[in-house]
């Protein structure tokens, strides 16, 4: 093609040079040649396009073949690293009116490595999927979660066995690194020891409705606070939940949940093993979560509102060895709640505020002046945070909190935290 | 406990089962929802998991999607890691055996396209790169035909009773599409070689089809928003290449593009990216019509 073109150009040039007398004729000839070249160029474009189309049309079979080697079946591996610098004005605040588990206390002072999580997950075969999450800290490695799960059971049914974070309330079944704040709210810390995970089996059923509705339950070993935290004394527990959720228009989503955790610890220790409880401990929770994308694109702006209400009914005996109360019969109820809002105002920046409160019960005479006596005080915590998310895999957060754990006690809390995920792509849960 | 049981029972009766006999297609992106409707017509019911204004990569596994996935007997997605953040959650929590990976009801469009930009090596310092290759295949109309053909075969396999209807719908769509492609090809000839700046590497298939020359991305790296220092590089490269057009999808941030426009006078062209991305793009045809109109306007 290029040769023909060059040839024509050369001939035209030669003709125009050698025969000036024919200049007018040549000019018109040049015009027609130019027109012809333009036509040819057009034809080339058409042919090129047709060729590409033919090549595409021929490939109706899958083109991306997976390579087969042993590595091809490696499970998804992910590691979450997080660490913080924190400063608390009150070194060892005990939340009045409750026996608090070890994880429910506020974190360590100064620069510190938080629990790092190592997760491995994969489909086992066509019927099962599995996940192991190990938590690594200075105390050693512990199994955070290790479960197998059914895959594709008919009728919206699901089955889970092993150790897993229980779906009691909203926050509990989510890993801490996905939280919107650097610490868990007061009621999660006190009633669930930050997070309740236990060994057992669970069933779930998503109802065949247009609106999302799911119910489920688990039978559990009863080996984690609040179901009991003494190795030999596991006494069984069970949990049940229902969730319902949907969309409001195009840009708003909501999720509402009700759940319960029914435990009867044969022994549960709190406040560094000084507060002991034996008896029935039944927890009821209601949770709500709402997300609004004002621009229709969650990347730009997003408002998240969330709240949970806790009600714990206990019937048994409490003993505070620190105050030498002896075992005192206790039958009462405590409540707690939190509400939080987080707003993404720029694609990488968010701000948030959270208020949480606990309402302890009046104590019987035998427990007056013990750790369980809150002196009519309702512990509360208010927190403000801002975080910067460089990519889906990294986040840095600054949080300030003010806590009033007991009558006359104040605790100012500053936490600077990083959370980084490497390996498999993190899940975007609701 | 009694209260809880009561609430559960209430839930069951308030929302009666809506099971229909037809094929329920869960389409991850609006372009595949539109294509599924073209081929399935009245024999299928299609749910689009995302809207044209949403970045299909950044979606949460929200409750309504769990409910839709539970009913699905066909899943029609791009694949190639585009839905990596939310599809695994939906698949594990709500999907039936019929749509699990490898099942007949699990259809990934990217399986049928030779993906561009498959990286030689991947590292997260390169941003949120897709090891499988660039997943934004729907911006080339030739790919729509290839995927449509493969999906028709799959649908016919799943629902043999309506196979001939699906084939006829495909034939109808294909003949309309070929007429459209000729029309678009005529505009494309004028656009060939135009230097462009993009926000994210989301137009590679469109650029290859139209012969547009991508000079640089406004994003520093995939998934990492523009920074002032990177924008200086963008400006230098754009001036050097005499960039005329800055291409934006509906969910790309406009700030950086506005800045570049102010610095060098290139035009911002907002393209639909997919069905419903901008007003008046309710069909696949309208989406490409508007894309070419916008580009033609931007370069003239």
């Amino acid at each position: 093609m290029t040769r023909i073109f060059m040839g024509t150009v050369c001939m035209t040039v030669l003709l125009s040079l050698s025969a000036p007398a024919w200049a007018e004729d040549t000019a018109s000839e040049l015009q027609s040649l130019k027109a012809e070249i333009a036509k040819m160029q057009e034809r080339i474009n058409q042919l090129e396009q047709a060729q590409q189309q033919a090549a595409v049309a021929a490939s109706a079979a899958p083109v991306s073949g997976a390579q087969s080697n042993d590595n091809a079946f490696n499970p998804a591996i992910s590691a979450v690293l997080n660490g913080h610098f924190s400063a608390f004005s009150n070194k060892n605040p005990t939340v009045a009116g409750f026996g608090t588990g070890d994880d429910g206390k506020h974190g360590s002072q100064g620069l510190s490595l938080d629990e790092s999580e190592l997760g491995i997950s994969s489909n086992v075969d066509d019927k099962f999927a599995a996940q192991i999450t190990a938590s690594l800290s200075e105390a050693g490695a512990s199994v955070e979660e290790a479960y197998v799960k059914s895959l594709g059971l008919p009728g919206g049914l699901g089955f889970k066995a092993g150790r897993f974070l229980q779906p009691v309330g909203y926050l509990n079944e989510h890993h801490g690194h996905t939280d919107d704040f650097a610490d868990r709210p007061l009621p999660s810390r006190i009633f669930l020891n930050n997070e309740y995970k236990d060994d057992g089996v669970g069933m779930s059923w998503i109802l065949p409705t247009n609106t999302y509705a799911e119910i489920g339950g688990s039978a559990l070993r009863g080996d984690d606070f609040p179901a009991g935290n003494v190795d030999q004394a596991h006494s069984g527990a069970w949990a049940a939940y229902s969730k319902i959720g949907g969309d409001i228009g195009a840009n708003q989503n909501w999720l509402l949940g009700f759940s319960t955790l029914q435990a009867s610890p044969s022994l549960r220790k709190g406040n560094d093993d000084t507060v002991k409880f034996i008896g029935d401990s039944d927890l009821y929770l209601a949770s709500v979560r709402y997300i609004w994308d004002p621009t229709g694109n969650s990347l730009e702006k997003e408002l998240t509102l969330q709240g949970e209400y806790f009600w714990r009914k206990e019937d048994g005996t409490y003993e505070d060895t620190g105050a030498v109360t002896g075992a005192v019969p206790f039958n009462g109820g405590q409540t707690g709640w939190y509400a939080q809002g987080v707003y993404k105002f720029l694609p990488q920046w968010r701000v948030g505020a959270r208020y949480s409160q606990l309402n302890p019960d009046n104590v019987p005479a035998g427990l007056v002046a013990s750790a369980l006596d809150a002196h009519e005080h309702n512990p509360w915590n208010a927190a403000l945070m801002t975080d910067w998310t460089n990519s889906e895999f990294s986040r840095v957060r600054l949080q300030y909190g003010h806590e009033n754990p007991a009558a006359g006690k104040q605790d100012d809390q500053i936490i600077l935290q990083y959370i980084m995920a490497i390996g498999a792509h993190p899940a975007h849960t609701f | 406990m009694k209260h809880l049981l009561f609430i559960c029972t209430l839930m069951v009766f308030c929302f009666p089962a809506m099971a229909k006999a037809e094929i329920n297609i869960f389409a991850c992106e609006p372009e595949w929802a539109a294509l599924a409707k073209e081929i399935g017509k009245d024999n299928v019911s299609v749910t689009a998991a995302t809207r044209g204004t949403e970045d299909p990569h950044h979606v949460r596994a929200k409750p309504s999607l769990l409910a839709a996935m539970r009913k699905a007997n066909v899943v029609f997605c791009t694949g190639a890691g585009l839905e990596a953040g939310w599809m695994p959650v939906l698949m594990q929590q709500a999907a039936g055996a019929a749509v699990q990976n490898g099942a007949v009801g699990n259809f990934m469009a990217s399986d049928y396209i030779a993906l561009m930009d498959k990286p030689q090596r991947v590292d997260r310092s390169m941003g949120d790169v897709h090891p499988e290759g660039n997943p934004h295949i729907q911006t080339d109309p030739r790919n729509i035909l290839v995927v449509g053909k493969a999906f028709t075969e799959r649908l016919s396999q799943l629902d043999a009773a309506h196979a001939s209807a699906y084939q006829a719908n495909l034939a109808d769509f294909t003949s309309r599409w070929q007429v459209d492609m000729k029309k678009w090809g005529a505009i494309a000839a004028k656009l060939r070689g135009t230097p462009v700046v993009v926000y994210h590497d989301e137009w590679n298939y469109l650029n290859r089809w139209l012969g547009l020359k991508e000079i640089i991305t406004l994003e520093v790296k995939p998934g990492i928003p523009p920074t002032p220092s990177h924008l200086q590089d963008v400006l230098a490269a754009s001036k050097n290449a005499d960039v005329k057009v800055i291409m934006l999808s509906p969910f790309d941030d406009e700030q950086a593009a506005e800045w570049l426009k102010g610095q060098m006078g290139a035009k911002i062209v907002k393209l639909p990216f997919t069905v419903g991305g901008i007003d008046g793009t309710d069909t696949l045809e309208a989406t490409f019509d508007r894309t070419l109109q916008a580009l033609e306007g931007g370069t003239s």
Side-chain angles (χ1 to χ4, degrees):
Chain A
M1 191 57 222
T2 328
R3 228 184 298 164
I4 300 172
F5 175 74
M6 290 300 287
T8 344
V9 173
C10 289
M11 270 166 65
T12 320
V13 171
L14 277 173
L15 280 170
S16 55
L17 282 177
S18 61
W22 300 337
E24 257 175 51
D25 280 359
T26 320
S28 71
E29 211 166 314
L30 197 66
Q31 282 295 320
S32 70
L33 277 170
K34 268 185 186 166
E36 209 156 313
I37 289 167
K39 257 188 223 165
M40 282 175 168
Q41 190 59 49
E42 175 72 6
R43 183 81 191 122
I44 290 170
N45 287 348
Q46 281 172 3
L47 281 171
E48 269 180 4
Q49 214 160 0
Q51 205 173 12
Q52 278 178 353
Q53 273 171 25
V56 168
S59 61
V63 288
S64 54
Q67 291 176 353
S68 85
N69 57 39
D70 287 346
N71 285 342
F73 291 101
N74 270 350
I77 298 174
S78 64
V80 179
L81 295 113
N82 62 74
H84 70 251
F85 167 80
S86 50
F88 302 105
S89 68
N90 194 330
K91 302 287 179 271
N92 190 22
T94 309
V95 177
F98 300 90
T100 309
D102 287 344
D103 296 336
K105 295 185 284 190
H106 70 36
S108 55
Q109 289 261 40
L111 279 167
S112 151
L113 189 66
D114 287 337
E115 282 182 344
S116 307
E117 263 183 29
L118 191 62
I120 299 175
S121 66
S122 177
N123 286 350
V124 176
D125 54 22
D126 63 327
K127 301 268 191 297
F128 300 102
Q131 169 150 2
I132 305 175
T133 309
S135 158
L136 312 171
S137 67
E138 271 154 299
S142 67
V143 179
E144 179 99 344
E145 284 194 298
Y147 61 81
V148 293
K149 195 175 187 287
S150 64
L151 209 56
L153 276 189
L157 287 168
F159 177 82
K160 223 174 182 182
R163 176 177 301 175
F164 50 99
L165 292 165
Q166 291 297 319
V168 286
Y170 173 81
L171 270 182
N172 193 68
E173 64 173 324
H174 292 88
H175 287 270
H177 61 84
T178 64
D179 286 5
D180 294 326
F181 288 82
D183 57 355
R184 289 258 153 122
L186 268 180
S188 294
R189 283 161 50 191
I190 298 302
F191 294 125
L192 294 167
N193 195 25
N194 254 6
E195 55 185 21
Y196 172 65
K197 50 182 188 285
D198 207 347
D199 304 356
V201 290
M203 288 291 297
S204 65
W205 182 43
I206 300 178
L207 277 64
T209 50
N210 283 342
T211 303
Y212 165 74
E214 181 180 334
I215 55 173
S218 324
L220 302 156
R221 183 180 160 91
D223 211 2
D224 192 24
F225 194 102
N229 54 353
V230 181
D231 276 349
Q232 299 81 14
H234 50 86
S235 47
W238 62 270
Y241 69 89
S242 63
K243 291 183 204 172
I244 178 167
D247 302 339
I248 307 169
N251 300 345
Q252 298 170 77
N253 320 108
W254 58 276
L255 180 67
L256 198 63
F258 301 96
S259 51
T260 182
L261 171 62
Q262 307 269 324
S264 349
S266 50
L267 180 58
R268 183 181 78 208
K269 293 177 175 177
N271 288 17
D272 296 321
D273 297 350
T274 57
V275 173
K276 294 172 182 172
F277 174 77
I278 299 167
D280 281 334
S281 177
D282 301 336
L283 185 63
Y284 299 89
L285 301 98
S287 64
V288 62
R289 185 166 159 91
Y290 164 89
I291 296 182
W292 178 40
D293 305 329
T295 61
N297 175 14
S298 60
L299 262 183
E300 285 173 1
K301 288 190 169 58
E302 186 177 64
L303 175 71
T304 309
L305 302 176
Q306 181 182 316
E308 290 187 67
Y309 181 80
F310 297 65
W311 175 43
R312 184 167 76 177
K313 235 176 125 295
E314 286 187 321
D315 186 2
T317 60
Y318 263 112
E319 177 181 358
D320 181 351
T321 55
V324 207
T325 58
V328 180
F330 176 88
N331 188 354
Q334 303 128 339
T335 61
W337 62 276
Y338 75 90
Q340 68 181 49
V342 175
Y343 184 57
K344 183 197 279 182
F345 59 99
L346 281 172
Q348 292 183 305
W349 288 91
R350 308 190 307 164
V351 287
R354 180 188 68 195
Y355 180 81
S356 46
Q357 188 181 316
L358 293 164
N359 305 312
D361 199 9
N362 293 325
V363 286
L367 292 173
V368 167
S370 74
L372 294 151
D373 185 358
H375 303 284
E376 310 267 314
H377 174 76
N378 293 333
W380 60 270
N381 178 304
L384 294 170
M385 78 88 193
T386 181
D387 61 23
W388 173 67
T389 308
N390 179 50
S391 71
E392 275 194 81
F393 311 96
S394 66
R395 177 170 283 170
V396 178
R397 175 183 293 138
L398 179 66
Q399 180 174 322
Y400 166 76
H402 181 84
E403 193 161 302
N404 193 355
K409 283 195 179 161
Q410 309 294 330
D411 186 15
D412 285 304
Q413 312 166 332
I414 288 174
I415 307 173
L416 180 64
Q417 180 194 31
Y418 66 83
I419 305 159
M420 312 266 159
I422 55 176
H425 200 290
H428 309 164
T429 52
F430 183 79
Chain B
M1 195 51 227
K2 268 181 196 158
H3 297 291
L4 195 72
L5 281 174
F6 174 70
I7 289 160
C8 295
T9 325
L10 201 69
M11 276 182 175
V12 178
F13 289 107
C14 284
F15 303 94
M18 296 296 289
K20 284 180 195 163
E22 64 194 8
I23 300 270
N24 286 313
I25 300 174
F26 181 99
C28 286
E29 289 85 19
E31 66 269 17
W32 306 136
L35 188 56
K37 275 181 208 150
E38 290 279 2
I39 292 158
K41 295 241 162 79
D42 294 340
N43 293 318
V44 300
S45 146
V46 183
T47 306
T50 55
R51 280 166 296 130
T53 52
E54 277 177 304
D55 184 338
H57 190 71
H58 294 270
V59 172
R60 288 176 189 271
K62 56 189 181 186
S64 56
L65 295 185
L66 285 166
M69 180 57 86
R70 187 226 189 271
K71 290 191 301 180
N73 31 36
V74 182
V75 161
F76 186 171
C77 296
T78 298
L82 183 64
E83 303 94 358
W86 48 285
M87 272 302 276
V89 182
L90 297 179
M91 293 297 273
Q92 277 211 359
Q93 288 189 16
V99 297
Q100 292 290 339
N101 291 340
V104 187
N106 185 293
F107 183 89
M108 296 291 138
S110 61
D111 287 349
Y112 297 85
I113 304 292
L115 297 185
M116 294 174 74
D117 321 316
K118 198 173 165 154
Q120 291 297 310
R121 50 180 283 273
V122 289
D123 186 299
R124 284 268 159 77
S125 66
M126 297 154 70
D128 194 6
V129 286
H130 294 266
E132 303 88 342
N134 189 313
H136 308 294
I137 55 176
Q138 86 286 358
T139 58
D140 184 339
R142 295 168 299 185
N143 291 347
I144 300 285
L145 270 195
V146 175
V147 173
K149 192 175 165 196
F151 184 70
T152 306
E153 279 169 28
R154 189 69 70 87
L155 202 54
S156 307
Q157 200 181 336
L158 277 161
D159 182 18
H162 296 110
S164 56
Y166 299 141
Q167 295 292 346
N169 294 344
L170 174 72
D172 173 49
F173 176 72
T174 306
S175 60
R176 275 189 288 133
W177 201 249
Q178 274 160 350
V179 172
D180 285 330
M181 292 232 288
K182 279 216 182 89
K183 182 177 72 185
W184 298 326
I187 303 172
K190 292 182 240 170
L191 301 173
R192 216 158 262 281
T194 307
V196 297
V197 167
V198 300
Y199 182 84
H200 172 79
D201 269 330
E202 59 210 333
W203 304 107
N204 300 28
Y205 294 89
L206 179 80
N207 291 348
R208 183 175 66 176
W209 170 51
L210 298 176
L212 304 179
K213 252 169 60 194
E214 179 186 314
I215 302 300
I216 195 165
T217 63
L218 288 166
E219 269 187 332
V220 182
K221 279 163 186 177
I224 313 253
T227 57
S229 64
H230 177 68
L231 285 179
Q232 290 302 330
D233 296 344
V234 174
L235 180 61
S238 306
K239 276 185 170 160
N240 195 28
D242 192 20
V243 165
K244 297 272 185 288
V245 168
I246 307 163
M247 289 159 69
L248 289 187
S249 74
F251 43 80
D252 289 339
D253 187 30
E254 282 172 56
Q255 272 183 314
E258 287 290 350
W259 177 85
L260 186 63
K261 179 187 164 189
Q263 293 290 315
M264 61 168 296
K267 277 189 195 165
I268 294 179
V269 175
K270 283 190 124 186
L271 303 176
F273 189 64
T274 182
V275 175
I278 55 179
D279 286 343
T281 56
D282 296 338
T283 63
L284 283 162
E285 279 148 313
T287 305
F288 281 99
D289 277 340
R290 288 294 295 272
T291 302
L292 284 146
Q293 275 167 19
L295 283 170
E296 200 180 10
T299 48
S300 60

